[in-house]
Amino acid sequence: IKLIDTVAFVNLDLEPVQKEEFYPFIESVENVIECNCVTGEYSMLIEVEFLNTEELDDFINTLQKFGRPRGG
């Protein structure tokens, strides 16, 4: 049984040229519940669930290779 402690929405400012590399990556992350393209300051809204905030922080750090993330 997997106990979820942390559910978050992460915004990501993703450049269009990075989408080809980003989509396979985000599909491979088990903790991603949903990933949506949005308009405004950020281009992606990612809903995730993790066991703790440390795992969430690691995920956000990994996202930095694709753009500027912000948790919420």
Side-chain angles (χ1 to χ4, degrees):
I1 295 174
K2 185 177 176 182
L3 300 175
I4 302 303
D5 182 48
T6 305
V7 176
F9 291 90
V10 180
N11 291 301
L12 179 66
D13 185 14
L14 179 71
E15 295 296 325
V17 296
Q18 296 172 299
K19 288 182 179 181
E20 187 175 329
E21 183 182 358
F22 173 76
Y23 288 140
F25 163 76
I26 205 69
E27 289 175 352
S28 73
V29 179
E30 293 179 0
N31 303 82
V32 172
I33 299 168
E34 190 172 6
C35 180
N36 295 289
C37 293
V38 295
T39 60
E41 185 177 349
Y42 293 90
S43 53
M44 306 300 289
L45 177 62
I46 308 162
E47 183 179 3
V48 294
E49 58 184 14
F50 288 95
L51 296 176
N52 52 55
T53 55
E54 291 83 16
E55 288 186 5
L56 173 61
D57 287 342
D58 290 342
F59 174 72
I60 290 172
N61 289 337
T62 302
L63 283 179
Q64 289 180 0
K65 76 177 194 174
F66 296 105
R68 183 173 49 102
R70 191 183 84 184

